[in-house]
């Protein structure tokens, strides 16, 4: 009956158990140093939710969904991943069959071998194609060093020698027991090659290939600590430890504990250190980083790689030698690197912790940011040239103020830019016009409103953020209302995900206005001359908070001809205004806003760029003017709607 013994044809096969124990000890020893490195980090404040985090790990790992956008190469990784999982489980099953109870015989054995052979073959195809991608097509990211090479070569050799063992065994046993069967199809050519050479040659080939297979398998296991194969252990660990929280929410730090961000590895938390080591140099972050793609020196991938290479946890990271200031300040915190990373390594949170130390401990920041942060401290908004009050824009509009009204349904959070900058005041006025048309019971905070400090926080000034958050929350708690709406995605994200306002619903103006139309309160007439319009997704509406549909629906309801840009929705490209970028003074050739405007204008004969963020409007209008792009208009979705209100 078809079957096989574990150490068939091998003398002293039991030695492999001793070798296996030795290899596990070596692996443990090598990982000990990694654990020491991680333990040099700060203790995690957040508690572990074992069940939810384990679910998150298995969902991400088994679905391999984080590789979704890598198309063919993602499928190749699935071949290798599932191929080796099946082979590993197969080896364990064989050991159980040999030592605990014999059940692998007859048809069960045939099916068992068929599955294992198919898995091995698919894994081999996967490795070959990944190898071709890296070394022939040269389209893979990351350094091509010996560790990268061995990460592909070692598993390949494990598979090849495994097939050699099976082929030579089948060549020896031509009788009933091990006769050629369809289940061994990958080794059929080898069996045919060895059989004419005779039983002795096949026996020698079998013994040689068996021991080589064992040796390479054990070497590959140790390589889990010293080659890129370490991702097999580190990525699941990192996926498990990823905090269960909304994307883009920053790690809270206790300033009272004298912690001001970090200048070295030991200032990161332990889970952050794991996530640095888990980076596989996939470069998805780099490909999608607006700073990198606009000629800036910042590459989130190289930031991660540089930190991986540091062996002394106390080495200062920011300076001319490792991470330059130019790299550090170039990040717009758009979150593309966080969203696209297949192992959730999250470079942007490391950048922000490094910024925190520069700003709060050293008082170091780009010169052009200083005025904005100073103005925030003194006047509660970043626009140091602004001379008006937060109520001036409401003149003649009969806008209710919370301090007088006390109780209302909706608080319209105007934001500094919407209240103080000419261009953006028009958007605030459009929203008020829409709210009044719908008869909404609303109010604004007016002069009681201060900046949410979304930008300041991402620029590194956590101190200012915490101070302002406390002030804003206590102001908001003085009034009775159930919903906050805002036309600024940065304020939206902060109010919704970072401030502690448990009893209040925070809505983006895109979602709220869409709801008003759905409830038939807001009646819109279609434009007589639909303009070619493309919608630019603001990062903190789209990528970070998943608001993609409503703004587009509003554009269409307003009657424009919507042309979807290639880089939109999850693949959108930042305007360059976030994370302090709006205060930067970029050199020509490195301006993200110009790169973005070019992308938006090169597709379709665009007449209007619609968006939903005051910073995007500022950045894109500047770019359109710099690029001398004719009469192209940049409009907020609220402005499009306000122009199309139906008469009552
Ligand atoms: S951070 Fe993520 S996407 Fe970037 S190189 Fe590392 S693994 Fe790849
Ligand atoms: S957050 Fe955006 S700008 Fe910053 S490193 Fe990541 S992709 Fe680049």
């Amino acid at each position: 009956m078809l079957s096989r013994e574990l150490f068939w044809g091998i003398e002293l096969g039991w030695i492999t158990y001793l070798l296996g124990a030795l290899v596990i000890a070596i692996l443990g020893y090598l990982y000990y140093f990694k654990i020491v490195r991680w333990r040099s980090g700060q203790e995690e404040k957040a508690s572990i939710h074992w069940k939810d985090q384990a679910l998150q790990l298995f969902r991400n790992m088994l679905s391999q969904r984080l590789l979704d956008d890598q198309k063919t190469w993602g499928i190749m990784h699935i071949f290798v991943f599932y191929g080796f999982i099946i082979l590993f489980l197969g080896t364990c099953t064989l050991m159980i069959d040999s030592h605990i109870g014999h059940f692998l015989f007859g048809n069960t054995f045939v099916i068992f071998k068929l599955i294992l052979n198919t898995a091995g073959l698919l894994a081999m195809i996967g490795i070959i194609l990944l190898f071709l991608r890296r070394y022939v097509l040269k389209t893979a990211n990351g350094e091509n060093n010996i560790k990268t090479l061995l990460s592909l070569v070692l598993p390949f050799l494990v598979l090849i020698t495994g097939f050699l063992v099976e082929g030579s065994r089948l060549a020896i046993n031509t009788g009933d027991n091990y006769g050629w069967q369809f289940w061994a199809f990958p080794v059929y050519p080898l069996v045919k090659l060895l059989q004419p050479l005779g039983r002795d040659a096949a026996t020698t080939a079998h013994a040689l290939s068996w021991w080589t297979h064992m040796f390479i398998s054990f070497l590959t296991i140790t390589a889990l600590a010293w080659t890129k194969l370490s991702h097999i252990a580190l990525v699941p660990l990192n996926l498990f430890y990823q905090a269960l929280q909304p994307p883009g929410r920053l790690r809270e730090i206790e300033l009272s504990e004298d912690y001001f961000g970090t200048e070295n590895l030991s200032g990161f938390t332990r889970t952050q250190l794991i996530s640095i080591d888990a980076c596989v140099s996939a470069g998805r972050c780099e490909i999608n980083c607006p700073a990198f793609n606009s000629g800036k020196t910042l590459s989130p991938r190289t930031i991660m790689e540089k930190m991986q290479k540091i062996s002394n946890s106390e080495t200062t990271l920011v300076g001319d030698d490792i991470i330059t200031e130019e790299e550090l300040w170039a990040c717009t915190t758009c979150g593309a690197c966080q969203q696209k990373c297949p192992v959730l390594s999250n470079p942007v949170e490391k950048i922000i912790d490094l910024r925190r130390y520069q700003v709060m401990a050293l008082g170091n920041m780009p010169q052009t940011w200083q005025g904005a942060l100073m103005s925030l401290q003194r006047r509660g908004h970043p626009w140091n040239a602004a001379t008006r009050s937060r109520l001036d824009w409401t003149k003649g509009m009969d806008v209710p103020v919370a301090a007088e009204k006390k109780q209302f349904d909706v608080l319209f959070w105007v934001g500094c830019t919407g209240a103080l900058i000419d261009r953006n005041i028009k958007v605030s006025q459009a929203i008020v016009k829409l709210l009044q048309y719908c008869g909404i019971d609303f109010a604004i905070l007016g002069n009681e409103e201060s900046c949410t400090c979304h930008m300041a926080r991402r620029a590194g000034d956590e101190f200012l953020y915490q101070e302002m958050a406390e002030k804003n929350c206590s102001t908001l708690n003085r009034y009775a209302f159930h919903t906050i709406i805002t036309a600024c995605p940065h304020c939206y994200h902060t109010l919704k995900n970072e401030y502690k306002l448990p009893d209040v619903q925070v809505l983006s103006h895109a979602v709220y206005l869409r709801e008003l139309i759905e409830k038939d309160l807001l009646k819109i007439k279609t434009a007589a001359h639909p303009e070619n319009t493309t919608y630019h997704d603001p990062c903190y509406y789209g990528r970070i908070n998943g608001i993609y549909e409503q703004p587009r629906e509003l554009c269409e309801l307003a009657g424009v001809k919507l042309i979807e840009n290639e880089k939109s929705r999850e693949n959108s490209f930042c305007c360059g205004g976030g994370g302090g970028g709006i205060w930067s003074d970029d050199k020509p050739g490195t301006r993200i806003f110009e790169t973005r405007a070019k992308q938006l204008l090169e597709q379709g004969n665009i007449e209007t760029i619609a968006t939903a963020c005051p910073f995007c409007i500022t950045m894109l209008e500047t770019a359109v003017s710099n690029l001398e792009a004719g009469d192209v208009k940049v409009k907020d979705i609220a402005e499009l709607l306000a122009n199309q209100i139906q008469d009552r």
Side-chain angles (χ1 to χ4, degrees), residues 278-285 301 304 340-343 345 347:
C279 169
V280 289
S281 300
R284 304 298 304 160
C285 50
R301 172 175 67 85
M304 300 299 273
K340 297 289 182 183
C341 174
V343 303
S345 253

Side-chain angles (χ1 to χ4, degrees), residues 425-476:
I425 281 174
K426 290 184 186 145
V427 179
S428 305
Q429 289 170 336
I431 290 175
V432 165
K433 187 174 161 191
L434 294 167
L435 294 176
Q436 288 174 337
Y437 173 90
C438 299
I440 303 298
D441 176 25
F442 78 100
I444 62 168
L445 285 178
N447 290 327
E448 281 193 297
E449 191 182 293
S450 290
C451 183
T452 54
C453 277
H454 178 278
M455 288 277 182
R457 190 176 199 202
R458 278 147 188 85
D461 201 339
E462 181 72 14
F463 184 77
L464 188 57
Y465 162 78
Q466 290 192 9
E467 197 179 68
M468 214 71 101
E470 204 181 306
K471 183 172 171 236
N472 279 327
C473 286
S474 78
T475 305
L476 289 168

Side-chain angles (χ1 to χ4, degrees), residues 27-40 147 222-227 230-231 233-234 237 270 273-274 277-278 308:
L27 192 64
Y29 179 71
L30 294 174
Y31 264 88
Y32 167 78
F33 291 105
K34 287 192 193 291
I35 292 168
V36 168
R37 174 178 150 102
W38 300 334
R39 286 189 66 81
S40 72
K147 291 181 179 182
T222 68
L224 295 183
W226 52 274
T227 67
S230 59
H231 81 279
L234 296 178
L237 200 61
R270 293 171 181 177
L273 292 178
I274 293 175
D277 285 349
Q308 269 182 353

Side-chain angles (χ1 to χ4, degrees), residues 285 288-292 298 300 330-338 347-348 351 592:
C285 50
N288 291 285
C289 173
F292 180 80
L298 168 65
C331 172
T332 68
T333 72
C334 71
C337 54
Q338 182 186 10
V348 59
I351 290 175
I592 298 174

Side-chain angles (χ1 to χ4, degrees), residues 446-550:
N447 290 327
E448 281 193 297
E449 191 182 293
S450 290
C451 183
T452 54
C453 277
H454 178 278
M455 288 277 182
R457 190 176 199 202
R458 278 147 188 85
D461 201 339
E462 181 72 14
F463 184 77
L464 188 57
Y465 162 78
Q466 290 192 9
E467 197 179 68
M468 214 71 101
E470 204 181 306
K471 183 172 171 236
N472 279 327
C473 286
S474 78
T475 305
L476 289 168
N477 286 333
R478 282 205 290 276
Y479 304 112
F481 58 93
H482 53 71
T483 300
I484 298 179
I485 62 158
T486 179
C488 171
H490 300 265
C491 295
Y492 168 73
H493 178 74
T494 308
L495 292 164
K496 183 176 163 60
N497 298 319
E498 296 185 346
Y499 278 16
K500 293 181 178 62
L501 299 166
D503 303 322
V504 178
Q505 164 180 238
V506 181
L507 293 178
S508 71
H509 71 317
V511 171
Y512 187 68
L513 293 173
R514 183 69 189 91
E515 274 180 22
L516 291 181
I517 293 176
E518 222 162 78
K519 289 180 185 156
D520 220 17
L521 289 170
L522 181 56
K523 294 184 195 302
I524 298 295
K525 58 177 189 255
T526 313
H529 305 291
E531 292 199 342
N532 287 348
T533 302
T534 190
Y535 176 71
H536 162 77
D537 289 278
C539 302
Y540 281 85
Y541 267 2
R543 175 177 297 120
I544 310 271
N545 284 295
I547 302 171
Y548 294 118
E549 299 309 328
Q550 294 88 344

Side-chain angles (χ1 to χ4, degrees), residues 221-405:
I221 293 172
T222 68
L224 295 183
W226 52 274
T227 67
K228 286 277 174 204
L229 288 176
S230 59
H231 81 279
I232 294 170
L234 296 178
V235 171
L237 200 61
N238 185 45
L239 293 181
F240 175 80
Y241 277 119
Q242 281 304 304
L244 301 161
Q245 60 175 25
R249 178 192 279 173
L250 293 190
R251 182 166 78 90
E252 303 219 347
I253 58 173
E254 292 285 342
L255 296 171
S256 54
E257 292 175 6
D258 278 352
Y259 178 82
F260 303 108
T262 186
E263 62 169 338
N264 51 34
L265 288 180
S266 65
F268 287 118
T269 65
R270 293 171 181 177
T271 54
Q272 282 181 318
L273 292 178
I274 293 175
S275 73
I276 290 171
D277 285 349
C279 169
V280 289
S281 300
R284 304 298 304 160
C285 50
E286 185 181 89
I287 294 168
N288 291 285
C289 173
F292 180 80
N293 285 291
S294 301
K296 293 185 189 290
T297 52
L298 168 65
S299 151
R301 172 175 67 85
T302 48
I303 295 252
M304 300 299 273
E305 287 173 349
K306 285 176 193 176
M307 291 194 288
Q308 269 182 353
K309 285 180 189 152
I310 304 288
S311 51
N312 181 351
S313 304
E314 300 305 323
T315 305
T316 302
L317 295 172
V318 179
D320 292 339
D321 299 335
I322 304 173
I323 298 170
T324 65
E325 287 191 28
E326 203 183 331
E327 290 172 88
L328 192 67
W329 304 119
C331 172
T332 68
T333 72
C334 71
C337 54
Q338 182 186 10
Q339 180 203 32
K340 297 289 182 183
C341 174
V343 303
L344 302 182
S345 253
N346 203 348
V348 59
E349 65 161 6
K350 321 300 185 284
I351 290 175
I352 289 172
D353 275 344
L354 292 170
R355 282 181 173 187
R356 283 170 166 169
Y357 189 84
Q358 294 298 310
V359 172
M360 292 191 290
L362 305 179
N364 181 28
M365 70 193 83
Q367 217 190 349
T368 51
W369 294 19
Q370 285 170 12
L373 291 177
M374 217 113 80
S375 171
L376 272 167
Q377 273 163 10
R378 290 197 193 129
R379 304 163 73 199
H381 65 75
W383 304 117
N384 53 1
T387 49
R388 35 170 83 87
S389 88
R390 285 182 185 262
L391 277 173
D392 287 357
W393 67 274
T394 63
K395 284 203 179 106
M397 290 198 82
D398 194 18
V399 180
V401 178
E404 289 159 14
K405 207 169 176 184

